[in-house]
């Protein structure tokens, strides 16, 4: 399997073999940004598909985190109120 890296400019993504250093330099000169992900795959098509899967999973994780992070202050506030009421009742 070959290792691939990804370069992105806006919504355009280019897949290159890691060994293609000259082509990578040209892309960077054109304003493309090298992406963090590097993938081993049997073809550029498979590498790009895996890259899309990773990006989709990251987006889902981010959305799930934010969905859980929103109600947490509310839960904390309600817990503090209930704790306060229980302590007052014990006194």
């Amino acid at each position: 399997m070959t290792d691939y890296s990804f370069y992105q400019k806006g919504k355009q993504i280019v897949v290159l073999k890691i060994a293609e250093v000259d082509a990578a330099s040209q892309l960077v000169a054109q304003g493309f940004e090298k992406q963090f992900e590097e993938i081993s795959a049997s073809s550029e098509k498979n590498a790009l598909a895996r890259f899309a899967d990773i990006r989709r999973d990251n987006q889902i994780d981010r959305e799930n985190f934010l969905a859980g992070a929103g109600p947490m202050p509310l839960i904390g506030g309600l817990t503090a109120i209930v704790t306060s009421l229980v302590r007052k009742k014990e006194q």
Side-chain angles (χ1 to χ4, degrees):
M1 283 212 257
T2 307
D3 293 331
Y4 292 94
S5 58
F6 303 90
Y7 295 83
Q8 185 171 4
K9 182 177 181 182
K11 292 192 175 204
Q12 183 180 5
I13 299 173
V14 177
V15 182
L16 288 179
K17 294 178 184 174
I18 290 180
E20 295 177 355
V21 178
D22 292 335
S25 297
Q26 290 175 356
L27 287 175
V28 170
Q30 293 173 14
F32 283 82
E33 292 182 22
K34 184 177 186 303
Q35 301 302 296
F36 176 75
E37 295 86 351
E38 293 181 351
I39 296 172
S40 294
S42 57
S43 69
E44 289 182 6
K45 182 180 176 182
N46 290 342
L48 189 57
R50 179 65 187 126
F51 180 72
D53 287 344
I54 290 170
R55 287 288 175 101
R56 190 176 316 107
D57 289 346
N58 287 344
Q59 182 64 30
I60 290 169
D61 289 347
R62 188 176 304 115
E63 290 169 0
N64 287 342
F65 173 77
L66 292 176
M72 288 307 286
L74 177 62
I75 293 170
L78 290 175
T79 303
I81 291 170
V82 169
T83 302
S84 172
L85 293 173
V86 168
R87 285 186 180 169
K88 284 182 181 179
K89 189 174 183 177
E90 289 176 353
Q91 292 177 353

